[in-house]
Each structure stands twice: as structure tokens, then as C-alpha cells.
Amino acid sequence: MPKYALKDYADVRIYLPLAAYSPDGTQIAHVTNESGQYNIWVMPSGGGERRQLTTYTDNTIRALDWSPDGKTIAFSADANGDEQHQLYLLDVASGAITPLRHTEKRQHSLNGYSEDGKWLSYTANDRAEQDMDLQLYNPQTHEHRRLSEGAIVFGGPFSPDGKYLAAVNFRGNTDQDIYLYDLETGAATLAFKPELPSVAVPAAWSPDSGTLYFVTNSGREFAGMAAYTVADGTWAYVATPDWDFERIVVLKKQNRLVWSLNEDGASTLRGADLATREHFDLPALPYGVLTGLIANSAGTRLALTFSKATEAANLYEIDIAAGTLIALGRSMIAGIPEDAFIAPELVRYDTFDGRKIPAWLFKPRGDGPFPTLLSIHGGPESQERPGYAYSGFYQYMLSRGFAILAPNIRGSTGYGITYQKLIHRDWGGDELKDIEHAARFLQGLSFVDRRRIAVFGGSFGGFATLSAVTRLPQYWAAAVDLVGPSNLVTFAKAVPPFWKRMMKEWVGDPEEDADFLMSRSPITYVDNIKAPLLVIQGANDPRVVKPESDQMVERIKANGGKVTYYVDENEGHGTTRKATTLKWFAMIGDFLTDELLDEPAV
């Protein structure tokens, strides 16, 4: 099998889970990085010639919606990864861009238009940096109207009759309520408050505006689909499978419902008639991850973004009547043959408390023994899934003879709320034992060289990497930390202002729990490091600020340790540009190859 360079695996046209049909259903606005940065493009429904609408090089598109009159696309964008999203209006015909809401050093989260076009909803911390206020913009009068203060409230779907805006009061990843805002009076009605803190996300309205469908795990391990009845203010579960609901879309003109489930990491798609509850057929999805799902106004077609372990996120469309699933885009553009890619195996390994930790195991071709990369995902309340990880980095490392294990250690989503909440106020605790048992699991595999195991991760995964090399130094031959916190006290003090109210229950209070947090911080154990370490940091990162990496690197250098440090002045919490993505992962690939392989990288 010929070897391909990292630039070939990373030569992908990634489609973000951001798309909107034009009101007449003939066009699909979407976001892809074909130009080198994530910009807005449009293409015909069913496929055809694409047209680029924005030409940003520094700004990154983060959200969009098409106005009901078809003339305007509203979008949000930030600059150089700073996550200070600003709001804009794009004239579809002329391409002219007008700032809609621009407040320096503040974050704006775009929601979308009401069906009658009278309102556009968004959330922003422009009034007080610690709050995220729900707001409305009137495109006719240009009025901005504030609906909430003193909390973090994100907008959901507008009711079709234009009376209500559903919204979620967000106190944490597992603690949410749902409100209905009267668009005439601005009054808020508490529609759903679970007895115990739970997930609660408004998803879609029935065609008659009488029912709001939402996702919640109230009283359950997994997130089911529930329905709130406006007339009597009651709610009930509609479907409660033993996997999480991901997305719910109502096909209003068809009186149908479509939803996706996360089944052990892979996405499945279902559909049912709202009146009869009878299921209808939809094309089976390949084994992979559905990242976005929308319907056209007629309810006859679905646009979705989807990725596989062997294919970067691509734009697809389903013709429901024809039962077809077609690729509108082409995400893999370097010409690497399909048989060069390797799909993972879903495995489970034992950990200290009897739990089975789910993990994706990638085995390169050949017999080994192979150097191996243990990859810890970020979040931590997120999930490693069978997608095209890190723009093809996994596939590149596999082609170079590295095995990879990507586990979903405790704190991961997708395996029930109890498992997810195990990470709360326990960073650097029991999940580190899961990582140790992952290392032991790898040592027990015949094709793994136990002397050449590296650990890698970004964000929380970077924290986990630093925890591993400082507190479990005996297992690692090398390590890579991307934008990971090293000191939980300084990390908790420096997070974005509207995060701070959540930190005590999530990580710990930097004042009250300082001793506890320092006992869990990698910086405390820096003297134990034995493995060479690569640290990469975005200078504009607002979540894990640059001093988190600075202090770790300074201590390692003072101890005479082997550390390589790269700061990207034009990125934040990860990469936004194609070129910098390639640069970061080329550095990582070269570092791991130099440390763990005898042969040079191609």
C-alpha cells in the first residue's frame, strides 16, 4: 500500500453542521472551508454549481439562517479564533455584508428567524459580560428587544403561528429549563422544569403550534423525546429509547417528524407520522456521525452533514419520496483510494470500578508490534465517535504504522447521565484511573509495543494528557497537549465570564476549593514528567488562556525536561484555517514520528 503525506489526508473540504434552505427550497446555504477558511456557499437542492458568498480569511462563520423573504442570510462570525462572535446580514443578491450587532469583546450567539420574518433571535453578553441575554431583532424597524437578563438563555424554535419563542435557561450541561416567551408582550412562561437537574433542549413545534417537542433526560439515563402541550401546560414523553436523541425536525406541511439517535456513537435516522405515529422509511445512514439536519419548507427533502471514520464531514441530501441519499458535496479531494483508509473497531475495556469503558481501536495493517497513540477527547462532556478525526490525522498516523485507541472515559456523553456526571468536580480524579487502565489494556494487546505508547489530547483532553504524564509517568514514551489547562485554579479564574457561575459545580471554586484543585492540577506534579512533550497553544484562546500552557512549559524547562512549545498567534481554542490545521498536525505527526519511529515522516 503506497504512503500518502499528511497534506493529502488533510486535503478535505469540510462541511460544518451549518445549513439553511432558501424559502423556496431551491438552494442550500452551507459553510465549508474550501477557500481555506470557513465561508458561506450556496448550491442548488439536488446538486449543481456552487457559489461562494463570503470571502473571509481571518473571520470564521459560526452560525447562519436564511430570511423567510429569501433576500438575506443572517450569520455570526469571529476573528482569529477569539470566539467573540459578531452578527451580520448578507444580501444574497449583491453579496453586501452589513453589521447587525457588533460589540467588541462580547459574544453573540445567533439563533434564527421566525417563520413570518418579523423577528430574528440571538443571545449576547453585551449588557453584562457574565450573562447571556436572549434578544430579538426586528428586520423591518431595526429594533433590538431584550427578553431576559441575569441568566444564560439561548433561543430555540419560534412557533409557526408567530406567538412564541421557545428558549432554554442554561445553568450547566446537565441543568436546564425551558421557557416560552410571548412575542407580543415579552412575558416568559416556565414550560418545563425537571424535578432534578436535567438536560432540556427545545427542538421543534407541531404544525398547529400547539405542541413543542423537546429533548430531555428527566427521570431517565438517556435523553428521550418529550412533548409539551401549550393549552394545558403539561408534558409527556413521546419516545424513550436506551440511546440519546440527537436532533428532531418537524416536516410541517407533511405533518411528519424526523429524528436521529446516537446509538453507541453512530447515528441512525427515523421518521414517523404525527397523527398516526406510524413510522415511514428513510434511507439508512452509513456507519458514522450525523452532525446537522434540516428540512426544506415543503418537508420533502432533508439536508444533512455527515462524517465517517474514512470520510470528512460532507453535505448530503435525502429525497424522502424517492428514498434516496445523495452526496451534494465532495469532502475528500486528494484522490486517496478508499482502500487506503482504516475503520475502527468498537471495543470495551475494564476499569478499576467494574465499568466497561467504550473505545475506538484503530489497528494499522501488518502484525506489529506498533507504536500506539492513546487519544483523549475534549469536553470533557463530549464523545469520541466514528468520524474523520482531526482532519485525517488518525488515518495519517495509521498509515505510518501507529495504532490508536480513542476511549470515552467517564464524563463522556452518549452513555447515560450518570456516566456523564462522574466528571463533575472530579477532574484529575477517577477519569485518570480510566486512562491508566487504557494504557494497561494497550499493553496487553499483542500488536502494541508497550515501550512506545504516547498520549494525546486537546482542551480537556490536553488536561488529561498533562495529568497522565505528570501522575502516571511510567506508561508514556511521548505526549502531546493541545490547548489544555495545567492549573485548575488559574483555569477556573480565567474562563469566559459567563462560564464562571458554572465552574463550582463543574470543576470547583478557585477560592473555596483551591487546595483540592491544586491537588488535581498537572502543574503540581510537573517534576514527575519523564516523556518528551509537545505543547501547542492558540494565543487568542478565550477558554484555556495562553498562561495555562506558559506556566507548564516554564516549569518543565526549569527542570531540564524535554518540551517543545508552539504558540499560534492567529488561532484560539483549536484551528479555524486549513493551513494552520495542517501546520499543527504536521508538527504533531513529526514529533511522534521522531520520538517513536525510526523512519522519517513523509
Side-chain angles (χ1 to χ4, degrees):
M1 179 67 66
K3 290 186 177 181
Y4 297 90
L6 175 60
K7 65 179 178 60
D8 295 322
Y9 287 99
D11 189 11
V12 292
R13 184 186 292 129
I14 296 176
Y15 292 80
L16 291 184
L18 306 174
Y21 276 100
S22 60
D24 63 5
T26 62
Q27 300 285 318
I28 303 173
H30 57 280
V31 176
T32 181
N33 67 343
E34 179 176 357
S35 66
Q37 177 58 280
Y38 289 104
N39 277 292
I40 299 175
W41 296 66
V42 293
M43 71 181 309
S45 172
E49 185 176 350
R50 299 171 299 114
R51 181 164 60 99
Q52 185 176 350
L53 296 187
T54 63
T55 56
Y56 289 125
T57 56
D58 295 332
N59 285 9
T60 305
I61 305 295
R62 301 293 190 178
L64 62 82
D65 196 27
W66 208 316
S67 65
D69 64 9
K71 297 179 180 179
T72 304
I73 293 175
F75 69 91
S76 64
D78 66 333
N80 295 313
D82 66 3
E83 298 186 15
Q84 304 306 300
H85 311 142
Q86 309 298 330
L87 302 181
Y88 304 89
L89 295 176
L90 167 67
D91 186 288
V92 176
S94 69
I97 295 173
T98 304
L100 170 62
R101 194 69 157 175
H102 199 286
T103 308
E104 294 290 341
K105 304 301 181 184
R106 293 292 186 267
Q107 188 173 80
H108 302 73
S109 175
L110 179 70
N111 181 33
Y113 284 98
S114 60
E115 291 190 22
D116 57 13
K118 291 182 179 179
W119 298 106
L120 177 69
S121 71
Y122 65 95
T123 294
N125 63 345
D126 57 315
R127 178 191 56 83
E129 63 178 5
Q130 73 276 11
D131 299 330
M132 292 292 285
D133 297 348
L134 181 63
Q135 300 178 59
L136 294 174
Y137 168 73
N138 186 317
Q140 284 74 45
T141 65
H142 308 295
E143 166 197 6
H144 290 267
R145 184 174 163 195
R146 202 175 300 270
L147 296 179
S148 74
E149 292 186 6
I152 300 173
V153 182
F154 294 105
F158 288 92
S159 61
D161 62 9
K163 290 183 178 180
Y164 299 107
L165 170 63
V168 57
N169 181 23
F170 186 91
R171 289 183 296 275
N173 293 334
T174 58
D175 186 5
Q176 299 148 22
D177 306 328
I178 296 175
Y179 282 82
L180 296 185
Y181 284 86
D182 187 305
L183 295 175
E184 182 176 346
T185 67
T189 299
L190 180 60
F192 176 72
K193 184 175 181 63
E195 292 184 9
L196 297 175
S198 304
V199 172
V201 182
W205 287 87
S206 63
D208 64 2
S209 300
T211 303
L212 174 68
Y213 294 96
F214 62 99
V215 174
T216 183
N217 59 0
S218 177
R220 305 187 69 248
E221 275 295 311
F222 292 92
M225 176 168 57
Y228 170 81
T229 304
V230 176
D232 59 15
T234 61
W235 74 278
Y237 275 111
V238 175
T240 54
D242 288 335
W243 296 111
D244 285 335
F245 268 77
E246 292 181 315
R247 287 163 184 82
I248 300 172
V249 173
V250 169
L251 312 178
K252 296 183 178 66
K253 291 184 179 180
Q254 306 295 323
N255 204 37
R256 285 175 158 184
L257 192 68
V258 174
W259 66 91
S260 64
L261 297 177
N262 172 356
E263 298 188 10
D264 220 353
S267 297
T268 59
L269 202 58
R270 303 281 193 276
D273 186 277
L274 283 172
T276 66
R277 303 290 181 178
E278 292 183 1
H279 285 235
F280 63 90
D281 291 334
L282 288 166
L285 297 176
Y287 193 77
V289 184
L290 179 74
T291 55
L293 179 68
I294 60 167
N296 65 5
S297 58
T300 57
R301 290 176 178 260
L302 299 166
L304 53 146
T305 45
F306 188 85
S307 70
K308 299 183 291 184
T310 57
E311 180 188 42
N314 202 359
L315 181 65
Y316 287 82
E317 191 173 35
I318 290 176
D319 183 321
I320 297 174
T324 56
L325 171 68
I326 63 168
L328 296 183
R330 181 185 171 201
S331 60
M332 309 299 289
I333 54 180
I336 300 177
E338 188 173 346
D339 61 4
F341 296 94
I342 296 174
E345 176 189 0
L346 179 59
V347 301
R348 283 176 165 81
Y349 65 86
D350 295 320
T351 192
F352 71 98
D353 59 357
R355 286 183 167 85
K356 299 279 191 180
I357 305 298
W360 300 96
L361 178 62
F362 296 79
K363 181 181 179 296
R365 293 177 176 87
D367 298 325
F370 303 112
T372 300
L373 184 63
L374 178 64
S375 177
I376 312 297
H377 69 68
E381 292 169 74
S382 183
Q383 185 180 14
E384 185 84 32
R385 302 183 68 180
Y388 196 67
Y390 302 106
S391 294
F393 176 68
Y394 282 3
Q395 295 295 331
Y396 170 73
M397 297 305 291
L398 285 163
S399 75
R400 290 314 184 262
F402 279 77
I404 299 169
L405 183 71
N408 281 300
I409 57 177
R410 67 194 59 221
S412 300
T413 55
Y415 306 99
I417 194 64
T418 299
Y419 192 77
Q420 179 180 341
K421 292 177 74 171
L422 290 174
I423 196 63
H424 290 187
R425 290 181 63 86
D426 197 39
W427 288 37
D430 285 348
E431 96 281 2
L432 187 58
K433 299 176 185 176
D434 293 343
I435 293 171
E436 180 170 20
H437 279 75
R440 292 179 181 178
F441 170 74
L442 288 172
Q443 289 179 339
L445 296 177
S446 61
F447 59 84
V448 169
D449 185 340
R450 61 187 302 157
R451 301 165 304 168
R452 294 187 293 164
I453 299 176
V455 60
F456 156 89
S459 191
F460 172 83
F463 167 81
T465 294
L466 295 176
S467 294
V469 294
T470 56
R471 299 172 63 188
L472 302 170
Q474 66 272 27
Y475 292 104
W476 319 111
V480 179
D481 156 40
L482 306 181
V483 297
S486 65
N487 182 325
L488 292 180
V489 172
T490 55
F491 165 65
K493 289 180 178 179
V495 295
F498 54 90
W499 285 26
K500 291 187 176 180
R501 69 184 71 195
M502 297 178 279
M503 294 306 289
K504 184 173 183 177
E505 296 301 319
W506 193 38
V507 179
D509 185 277
E511 304 295 342
E512 297 175 12
D513 302 315
D515 291 343
F516 165 70
L517 293 178
M518 288 307 301
S519 74
R520 296 295 186 82
S521 295
I523 195 72
T524 301
Y525 307 96
V526 69
D527 294 349
N528 297 334
I529 292 180
K530 298 178 181 178
L533 177 66
L534 170 64
V535 177
I536 299 180
Q537 175 71 45
N540 303 317
D541 192 339
R543 306 187 199 187
V544 179
V545 296
K546 180 174 172 287
E548 286 299 306
S549 292
D550 289 345
Q551 60 185 296
M552 192 71 182
V553 171
E554 289 168 6
R555 286 285 301 276
I556 295 171
K557 287 183 175 179
N559 288 343
K562 186 176 180 181
V563 60
T564 303
Y565 188 30
Y566 175 68
V567 177
D568 195 314
E569 297 296 335
N570 297 307
E571 293 288 3
H573 197 65
T575 60
T576 60
R577 300 168 178 83
K578 252 187 172 184
T580 48
T581 299
L582 180 59
K583 183 174 184 177
W584 284 28
F585 285 96
M587 291 177 63
I588 298 167
D590 289 346
F591 171 79
L592 293 173
T593 298
D594 290 344
E595 295 296 337
L596 302 182
L597 282 185
D598 294 327
E599 61 185 75
V602 176

